[in-house]
Amino acid sequence: MSILIKPIITEKATMQSELLNAYAFEVNTKANKIEIKKAVEAAYGVSVEKVRTMNVRPDRRTRYTKTGIQNGKTKAIKKAIVQLAEGETIDLYANM
């Protein structure tokens, strides 16, 4: 089971990383805070102070097509905000 799926790089997440030293990741929906902390420490070699998680509900959409009404939804995801210790950083752009 892979805990970390991908980092979230948005305007808000970038601001948090610069001001609060907190980074956002999309994680496995079954992962808990302890597993997320260990995965980030192993992947990036940093020490984690705090982990906050949130479950993001799926968006529901209705499309009107020639064949009729099509209902669908997106996938539910789990986000984790990881706050690092003072002086630690993660360079998310180094692996591109």
Side-chain angles (χ1 to χ4, degrees):
M1 174 171 90
S2 177
I3 304 292
L4 298 176
I5 297 173
K6 64 181 179 181
I8 298 173
I9 302 173
T10 59
E11 190 173 342
K12 184 176 182 179
T14 305
M15 183 187 65
Q16 282 183 342
S17 67
E18 292 171 357
L19 299 177
L20 305 173
N21 203 19
Y23 297 86
F25 294 94
E26 184 178 331
V27 296
N28 191 330
T29 55
K30 302 205 187 274
N32 61 27
K33 292 182 181 185
I34 298 167
E35 293 171 342
I36 294 167
K37 179 179 178 178
K38 289 180 183 176
V40 171
E41 288 176 345
Y44 295 103
V46 294
S47 59
V48 175
E49 271 188 8
K50 188 191 302 186
V51 177
R52 295 173 292 174
T53 61
M54 63 190 88
N55 289 310
V56 180
R57 63 176 168 76
D59 291 333
R60 299 188 186 277
R61 294 197 175 111
T62 303
R63 293 190 180 104
Y64 300 97
T65 63
K66 284 192 269 184
T67 59
I69 297 174
Q70 299 291 323
N71 292 320
K73 65 178 184 174
T74 59
K75 196 169 81 166
I77 62 169
K78 187 173 192 175
K79 291 182 185 178
I81 309 295
V82 177
Q83 187 166 358
L84 302 181
E86 196 68 33
E88 303 267 343
T89 59
I90 296 176
D91 189 11
L92 297 175
Y93 301 106
N95 296 334
M96 289 187 172

